[in-house]
Amino acid sequence: MRQHVLVVDDDLTVSDVVRRYLERAGFDVTLAADGPQAMIAFERRRPDLVVLDLMLPGLDGLEVCRRMRSRVRDLPVVMLTALGEEADRVVGLELGADDYVTKPFSPRELVLRVRSVLRRAAHAGAPVVLRDGPLVVDVERRVAHLGDQELALTVREFDLLAYLLSHPGRAFKRAELLDAVWGWTFGDHSTVTVHVRRLREKVEADPADPKRIVTVWGVGYRYEPLTAARTAA
């Protein structure tokens, strides 16, 4: 079955170009021109991924993202931002956007980003369970628990946590994490910073004084295990 992408943008020319490129790449595409239309389309047929412009009439992209994520917490979202809207981009990442593309953009690049996010969201790989004390990450099932509580993680948050936990004690540069987790050979390092901050809020007893995901000054981040180990499920 073809994967379904919901494209939300009030620029009809941009939407039409994106639709044609995505359909050529093998996706089913639904278009929405504003926030209310996006929510109607979302409820009518749940998408596998949403391409979402931040600047929308009726209901802005950030609110649309909030509402969709309240229904499907791990819904993959690629946000479109105008050049210079760094603050909005950071807010979008804080809400859990898995990727972003800055306007003007190459439709081919957007298709590659969509494929990358969907590939990472798919259930794949060996049946591995990562453990660090009460923190348990089931890679195949894409479920993480801290004690008895299931963690509400976005696609990228899960991938980042699993990657760090699978390399305990190793320090990574932000550029290395962008490459390994996002598949980007270049990009804004604040993407990593935002996701690390969100992860700390979910796995640390005190996010302001992290013990698991620690900052390595002048380098990046390191996962400091309590009793980390990898076991076959």
Side-chain angles (χ1 to χ4, degrees):
M1 183 179 295
R2 288 157 62 100
Q3 290 177 299
H4 176 222
V5 178
L6 173 59
V7 177
V8 188
D9 197 311
D10 62 331
D11 188 323
L12 299 183
T13 300
V14 170
S15 292
D16 187 59
V17 170
V18 170
R19 176 187 58 78
R20 286 189 283 111
Y21 271 81
L22 286 171
E23 288 179 344
R24 194 178 304 162
F27 296 99
D28 283 338
V29 180
T30 298
L31 300 182
D34 57 36
Q37 285 184 26
M39 294 308 304
I40 291 171
F42 175 81
E43 296 296 347
R44 182 175 296 144
R45 182 186 177 190
R46 292 292 168 88
D48 296 294
L49 180 143
V50 179
V51 176
L52 180 61
D53 189 23
L54 282 178
M55 303 299 293
L56 293 171
L59 200 65
D60 68 38
L62 297 178
E63 182 59 27
V64 170
C65 184
R66 285 191 191 96
R67 295 188 184 189
M68 289 183 178
R69 276 281 170 78
S70 71
R71 291 164 171 77
V72 182
R73 74 167 187 237
D74 59 351
L75 174 71
V77 175
V78 176
M79 283 195 167
L80 304 179
T81 69
L83 190 63
E85 292 179 342
E86 181 177 357
D88 286 337
R89 184 172 67 245
V90 169
V91 172
L93 292 171
E94 290 280 9
L95 286 175
D98 300 289
D99 207 341
Y100 69 87
V101 177
T102 302
K103 292 182 176 181
F105 59 85
S106 161
R108 291 186 180 89
E109 178 191 358
L110 178 60
V111 171
L112 290 175
R113 296 289 184 93
V114 166
R115 282 175 167 164
S116 174
V117 171
L118 285 171
R119 183 170 59 250
R120 291 173 185 276
H123 295 190
V128 171
V129 176
L130 304 169
R131 303 177 188 275
D132 180 21
L135 178 62
V136 180
V137 177
D138 188 323
V139 176
E140 184 179 34
R141 294 178 58 234
R142 297 190 67 86
V143 176
H145 287 85
L146 185 59
D148 295 331
Q149 179 183 2
E150 181 177 344
L151 299 177
L153 302 176
T154 67
V155 171
R156 294 296 194 188
E157 289 168 2
F158 184 94
D159 290 341
L160 179 58
L161 178 60
Y163 189 77
L164 289 171
L165 186 52
S166 66
H167 299 84
R170 177 178 169 183
F172 290 97
K173 297 178 181 178
R174 291 172 178 83
E176 291 176 318
L177 293 173
L178 272 178
D179 186 15
V181 178
W182 279 260
W184 302 358
T185 55
F186 61 91
D188 187 347
H189 292 184
S190 68
T191 300
V192 176
T193 304
V194 169
H195 280 75
V196 166
R197 182 163 65 245
R198 287 173 55 85
L199 268 181
R200 283 172 171 168
E201 291 171 354
K202 298 176 181 181
V203 304
E204 300 283 2
D206 180 3
D209 184 24
K211 302 300 183 185
R212 296 178 185 273
I213 305 174
V214 299
T215 299
V216 182
W217 297 107
V219 180
Y221 301 103
R222 180 182 71 243
Y223 190 92
E224 194 64 40
L226 301 179
T227 54
R230 176 189 286 191
T231 63

